[in-house]
Amino acid sequence: MSETTTTAPAKGTLPGPDGAPRCPWGLSTEDYLAYHDTEWGRPVHGDDALFERLCLEAFQSGLSWLTILRRRETFRAAFAGFEIAAVAEFTEADRTRLLADPGIIRNRAKVDATLANARLLADWPQGELDALIWSYAPEPAGRPAPRTVADVPAVTDASTALAKELKKRGVRFVGPTTAYALMQACGLVDDHLADCVARGTGTR
C-alpha cells in the first residue's frame, strides 16, 4: 500500500484496540484495521483475483486507498466480479454504464484501461498472469523487515521490472508504484513492520 509511505508518520508500530502492535496506517479507520489484519500482505493467487487487485490499484492511483476499499463491493458488482472472461465481453453499453456509475471511480482512462486489459488477458493461457506476477516476488530472506514506516519503499527494482514487463505485454495503466502497491497487497513482499502482529502471517 503506497499510503504507508505517504500518509503515515515515520514511526514504528502502535498498539491496536487489543493492545497488539500494528502498522500505524492500519489503525486510522476500522476499514483499514480489518484490511490490515486479514488481507494486506497475504498471498493472493489466481488470474481473476490478481486482475481485480491490478485494476483496483490502478483506480487508486492519485486517490486514497480507503476510497477504493470502501467502494470495493460496488466495483465488483460493476465489473462482473472482475472475472477476466466476463469483463472481456463488455460492450460499449457497459462502458457507458460504468462511466455513469457513481459507486465507482468514473475516470475514463482507468475504465478504458480495465476493459482493454481484460480483453488482452482473456487471450493469455490460464495461470499466466499469476505466474508472471509472482515471478517478480523477491526472496524474503533478502529483504530486512522494515522497522518504521520510513523504511517501507514506494518503488523497488522488482516493481519497476514488473511494470515494464506488463507494459511490454500490453497491460495498460501500470507503473512501478502501482506495481509495488500490488506486490505489497498480494503478499509478494511482506511490508508489515518488524514488530507488527500481522507480519509473517502470510505464506506463499
Side-chain angles (χ1 to χ4, degrees):
M1 172 188 270
S2 58
E3 287 186 327
T4 58
T5 61
T6 59
T7 61
K11 57 187 176 185
T13 53
L14 296 173
D18 58 358
R22 288 175 173 82
C23 304
W25 66 266
L27 299 173
S28 57
T29 71
E30 290 185 5
D31 300 270
Y32 271 161
L33 180 61
Y35 179 66
H36 170 276
D37 284 5
T38 64
E39 292 189 62
W40 193 75
R42 300 196 179 208
V44 174
H45 284 284
D47 291 345
D48 289 340
L50 287 167
F51 173 64
E52 175 182 349
R53 298 302 186 96
L54 187 64
C55 293
L56 293 180
E57 293 294 351
F59 273 104
Q60 185 267 334
S61 180
L63 301 170
S64 163
W65 175 247
L66 188 61
T67 300
I68 304 301
L69 189 60
R70 287 176 171 171
R71 299 185 184 202
R72 184 164 57 172
E73 292 308 317
T74 309
F75 268 104
R76 286 172 172 167
F79 284 97
F82 289 101
E83 293 182 12
I84 295 171
V87 180
E89 296 297 323
F90 276 19
T91 64
E92 185 62 28
D94 288 304
R95 179 176 180 271
T96 299
R97 168 182 60 81
L98 292 167
L99 292 174
D101 189 343
I104 65 170
I105 304 301
R106 293 176 288 180
N107 179 291
R108 190 176 304 274
K110 294 176 181 180
V111 168
D112 287 347
T114 300
L115 302 185
N117 288 342
R119 296 186 195 106
L120 173 76
L121 296 172
D123 290 333
W124 287 21
Q126 184 175 1
E128 185 168 346
L129 179 63
D130 186 308
L132 172 62
I133 290 176
W134 275 91
S135 71
Y136 286 86
E139 285 298 323
R143 303 183 75 252
R147 303 207 66 84
T148 71
V149 173
D151 297 329
V152 180
V155 176
T156 64
D157 290 344
S159 76
T160 299
L162 172 57
K164 182 178 180 179
E165 182 61 24
L166 287 170
K167 286 182 178 180
K168 179 181 177 182
R169 295 190 181 210
V171 178
R172 295 167 53 179
F173 223 101
V174 56
T177 301
T178 298
Y180 194 65
L182 174 76
M183 293 172 73
Q184 291 175 304
C186 296
L188 280 74
V189 296
D190 185 354
D191 273 345
H192 285 287
L193 301 186
D195 298 328
C196 178
V197 68
R199 184 168 179 82
T201 52
T203 58
R204 295 192 187 188

